[in-house]
Amino acid sequence: NAVKLWKISWPDYDKPYWYDRYDSAVVTAETEAEAQAVHPGGYPDWGSSTSTWAASPNLVVAEEIGTTGLPAGKVVCASFNAA
């Protein structure tokens, strides 16, 4: 399968606060589910008390935006809201 570029976002990133969290990223993946499973920080901290991203991949919205020659599972760029 071809590796695609995906814009991933977390619609509820600002609840209960907006800072120290990612709100979106561009990642590489072959499928929507694989894109949803890529953490913008490059590490899995799903649902931890210090999580900077969604509590679960199923809360992530993935939108296909193109194709790439990069390998799957990479973060191309990410948007982080610092305090």
Side-chain angles (χ1 to χ4, degrees):
N1 289 341
V3 177
K4 301 171 186 171
L5 289 171
W6 300 83
K7 178 188 176 203
I8 58 171
S9 59
W10 177 26
D12 292 330
Y13 84 94
D14 60 342
K15 298 185 178 44
Y17 50 86
W18 61 268
Y19 55 88
D20 293 340
R21 294 186 180 213
Y22 292 95
D23 62 66
S24 61
V26 173
V27 301
T28 62
E30 292 182 2
T31 67
E32 180 179 10
E34 289 175 3
Q36 290 171 303
V38 177
H39 189 290
Y43 52 87
D45 74 343
W46 301 103
S48 72
S49 62
T50 59
S51 182
T52 57
W53 188 233
S56 169
N58 67 351
L59 299 174
V60 175
V61 174
E63 175 187 356
E64 183 181 338
I65 59 173
T67 59
T68 182
L70 296 170
K74 301 293 183 188
V75 177
V76 177
C77 66
S79 174
F80 186 81
N81 301 283

